[in-house]
């Protein structure tokens, strides 16, 4: 099955996007990304700027993997702050891609809808391909599309919670409302089954980090997620059976059992 798809201005094979934070070691991060098959890795300008030596080592690994880099504005709380980080990231990482995160609540890391939309409007005008992190709010989705976003990244549940898809109905509503917009579930994915469910809803991809980085065996779990995302996509495209409110036998029963016919 041809799994190639267009995301932004690029074509890639894997529909699993993965983060680069929280791994026990750089070596495990490298092996996990390889095992995931992901071709898009999120990075934080702020995290890389803390230690020059560690930053150079990190970049050596990322370059060796040959992946697309998706910088993020993690830690920003205002549109102005996010725009500054985005512009710095474009210079440092040499890409117009930006994962827009503007946090409005520190308890559950829920994005601020007003500041996110405001930042998206300005960044789109500045030539960025904006990947906005948002809640599963249909109205916010409409505002972001109106702002010029061609990609939306609604959460499954709060960042790092591992709770999976809290409200599949809302996610389905966004999918139906925007059939031509690239949709990626971002945040809250904890198990491969969560990723498979997101893909079966018709989402184009899944972005995760903690679910792999904090697993007992990150490399094995990364491979499991790769398989789950692929299985979910195949299932969605194939068209699985609809749920029923009643039982239905899988084998039709007509007339006399065949073993009685010759007695």
């Amino acid at each position: 099955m041809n799994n190639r798809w267009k995301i932004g201005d690029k074509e890639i094979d894997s529909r699993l996007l993965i983060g680069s934070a929280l791994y026990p070691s750089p070596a495990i991060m490298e092996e996990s990304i390889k095992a995931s098959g992901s071709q898009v890795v999120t990075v934080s300008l702020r995290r890389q700027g803390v230690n020059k030596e560690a930053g150079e080592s990190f970049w050596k690994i990322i370059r060796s993997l040959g992946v697309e880099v998706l910088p993020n504005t993690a830690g920003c709380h205002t549109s102005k702050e996010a725009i500054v980080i985005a512009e710095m990231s474009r210079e440092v990482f040499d890409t117009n891609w930006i994962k827009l995160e503007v946090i409005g609540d520190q308890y559950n890391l829920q994005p601020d809808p007003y500041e996110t939309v405001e930042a998206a409007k300005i960044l789109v005008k500045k030539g960025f391909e904006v990947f906005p992190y948002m809640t599963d709010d249909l109205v916010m989705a409409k505002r972001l599309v109106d702002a010029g976003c061609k990609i939306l990244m609604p959460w499954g549940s709060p960042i790092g919670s591992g709770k999976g898809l809290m409200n599949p109905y809302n996610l389905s509503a966004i999918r139906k409302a925007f059939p031509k917009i690239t949709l990626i579930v971002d945040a809250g994915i904890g198990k491969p089954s969560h990723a498979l469910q997101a893909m079966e809803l018709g989402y184009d991809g899944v972005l995760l980090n903690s679910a792999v980085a904090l697993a007992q065996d990150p490399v094995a779990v990364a491979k499991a997620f790769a398989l789950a995302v692929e299985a979910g996509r195949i299932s969605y495209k194939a068209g699985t059976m609809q749920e029923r409110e009643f039982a239905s036998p899988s084998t039709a029963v007509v007339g006399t059992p065949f073993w009685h016919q010759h007695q």
Side-chain angles (χ1 to χ4, degrees):
M1 178 181 177
N2 182 10
N3 201 37
R4 200 161 183 79
W5 65 302
K6 187 172 184 180
I7 177 171
D9 57 350
K10 305 182 188 298
E11 284 193 1
I12 59 176
D13 297 308
S14 174
R15 292 175 178 270
L16 175 61
L17 290 68
I18 197 166
S20 58
L22 305 175
Y23 293 88
S25 71
I28 291 177
M29 178 195 74
E30 180 178 5
E31 290 305 309
S32 297
I33 293 172
K34 287 180 179 178
S36 75
S38 178
Q39 295 166 291
V40 178
V41 176
T42 61
V43 298
S44 171
L45 177 66
R46 285 177 164 177
R47 189 168 67 85
Q48 298 314 317
V50 173
N51 184 307
K52 184 178 180 182
E53 185 177 337
E56 290 176 353
S57 176
F58 171 85
W59 265 115
K60 186 177 180 181
I61 293 173
I62 296 298
R63 283 195 297 267
S64 72
L65 292 169
V67 295
E68 300 292 342
V69 173
L70 176 58
N72 64 44
T73 62
C76 293
H77 293 83
T78 67
S79 59
K80 290 182 179 179
E81 193 178 8
I83 291 165
V84 170
I85 294 297
E87 291 179 324
M88 291 173 65
S89 295
R90 180 157 61 179
E91 292 296 320
V92 172
F93 301 119
D94 190 28
T95 179
N96 71 326
W97 283 13
I98 191 71
K99 179 186 174 187
L100 177 61
E101 295 182 34
V102 187
I103 301 302
D105 182 84
Q106 204 59 38
Y107 175 73
N108 68 357
L109 301 180
Q110 182 170 326
D112 185 314
Y114 307 104
E115 295 292 310
T116 298
V117 172
E118 181 62 25
K121 288 179 182 177
I122 296 170
L123 290 172
V124 167
K125 290 178 181 178
K126 288 178 175 285
F128 284 89
E129 186 73 72
V130 181
F131 293 62
Y133 162 59
M134 54 174 285
T135 58
D136 53 7
D137 186 312
L138 182 58
V139 175
M140 185 177 180
K142 290 179 179 178
R143 297 291 181 268
L144 288 166
V145 170
D146 290 343
C149 293
K150 299 175 183 177
I151 299 164
L152 299 176
M153 301 208 300
W155 72 2
S157 50
I159 294 175
S161 68
K163 291 182 177 295
L165 310 188
M166 293 189 305
N167 199 326
Y169 173 82
N170 283 2
L171 292 173
S172 293
I174 294 173
R175 175 73 285 175
K176 290 176 183 176
F178 302 103
K180 296 183 179 180
I181 293 291
T182 298
L183 297 180
I184 300 168
V185 171
D186 174 24
I189 299 293
K191 301 174 183 178
S193 57
H194 298 158
L196 190 149
Q197 183 185 12
M199 297 303 294
E200 285 188 325
L201 291 177
Y203 273 66
D204 298 288
V206 170
L207 193 160
L208 52 84
N209 189 167
S210 302
V212 170
L214 301 182
Q216 291 183 13
D217 187 340
V219 177
V221 170
K223 184 176 181 180
F225 270 109
L227 294 170
V229 168
E230 184 177 0
R233 181 63 181 178
I234 293 172
S235 174
Y236 171 70
K237 294 292 288 184
T240 53
M241 69 171 285
Q242 298 297 310
E243 291 185 6
R244 298 170 175 174
E245 294 299 325
F246 52 86
S248 178
S250 58
T251 303
V253 179
V254 179
T256 307
F258 71 89
W259 60 83
H260 286 290
Q261 293 177 358
H262 300 290
Q263 290 183 0

